[in-house]
Amino acid sequence: MIDREQYMPGPANMARIQKDRGPNGEEKWTLVLVKELRHSPEKVWEAITDPAHLREWAPFVADGSLGTVGATVKLTTVGAPALRVTETTVTRADAPEVLEYNWGGFDMRWELEAFAGGTRLTLWTNIGHRFIAMGAASWHICFDVLDHLLSGTPIGRIVGPEAMNFSGWQRLHAEYAKQFDVEVPNRAPLADRKS
């Protein structure tokens, strides 16, 4: 594992938002993240479906593979203030191209496209506009950690409160909030808060 202190995320250029209307006319925001990886779609597919790989980079732990349609898997959020376990059923698993399931009420759609000798990985997830910049910053870092893992230079998972105390996350959060025209809560990093 390389020294995590050497890792600093790049600019907030990995995510965008898509605004749609729900069935009752309500505004629905979808966070779209795109990361180009230097690895084959098959290798990336394994990293987004296999519990051992997910444990190294994702914001949740899976108790089974996400790679089969109909599979029921428990996803446990990592670093949440209270234990949060969500049971999900994989609704689409077209290896190594498309994966769909719902995580804690959020639709997750992963697309893997062969691109320039590697893979263009795209994630669509619906999320409330109040948290969309936080989600963008968090997934941005998760995707960077995934890239390091697949490249053989793991830096270890950076999620939850640990991510939020990371200066790179704070910068990304502010940059994505500005891009998406949403407010950033005025708060001190978690480590600076008084009990």
Side-chain angles (χ1 to χ4, degrees):
M1 190 177 302
I2 68 168
D3 184 1
R4 184 178 295 199
E5 297 301 318
Q6 295 173 353
Y7 164 69
M8 183 55 64
N13 62 3
M14 196 182 298
R16 63 181 170 83
I17 56 173
Q18 180 177 311
K19 296 179 185 179
D20 298 306
R21 292 283 173 194
N24 299 318
E26 71 278 10
E27 192 171 59
K28 181 179 174 185
W29 288 31
T30 301
L31 178 62
V32 182
L33 292 106
V34 180
K35 176 81 173 176
E36 292 175 2
L37 302 163
R38 301 174 303 265
H39 315 284
S40 71
E42 293 77 15
K43 189 172 182 179
V44 175
W45 178 264
E46 184 176 9
I48 68 169
T49 60
D50 178 71
H53 284 87
L54 289 164
R55 193 175 305 116
E56 300 297 320
W57 70 271
F60 55 79
V61 174
D63 76 345
S65 173
L66 293 167
T68 306
V69 170
T72 299
V73 180
K74 287 184 182 169
L75 303 178
T76 304
T77 304
V78 176
L83 184 65
R84 184 165 183 212
V85 180
T86 304
E87 189 170 275
T88 188
T89 300
V90 178
T91 56
R92 186 169 176 190
D94 300 333
E97 297 169 354
V98 181
L99 175 65
E100 294 179 359
Y101 54 91
N102 185 287
W103 175 40
F106 300 104
D107 294 325
M108 308 287 286
R109 177 181 172 87
W110 302 82
E111 286 190 6
L112 294 77
E113 176 187 358
F115 175 79
T119 302
R120 178 179 288 137
L121 177 63
T122 305
L123 169 63
W124 282 267
T125 182
N126 64 306
I127 189 167
H129 72 276
R130 287 183 48 218
F131 303 104
I132 204 153
M134 293 174 71
S138 299
W139 280 111
H140 182 125
I141 289 174
C142 285
F143 278 23
D144 281 355
V145 171
L146 170 62
D147 192 25
H148 276 278
L149 175 68
L150 293 174
S151 296
T153 57
I155 58 176
R157 178 167 40 196
I158 305 173
V159 297
E162 179 185 7
M164 294 172 74
N165 280 320
F166 180 57
S167 64
W169 183 92
Q170 294 168 23
R171 177 185 51 80
L172 284 171
H173 182 217
E175 290 175 11
Y176 281 125
K178 184 176 180 180
Q179 285 177 34
F180 302 160
D181 195 25
V182 295
E183 290 186 32
V184 175
N186 186 11
R187 65 166 186 80
L190 296 175
D192 296 342
R193 292 185 189 177
K194 305 262 190 258
S195 301

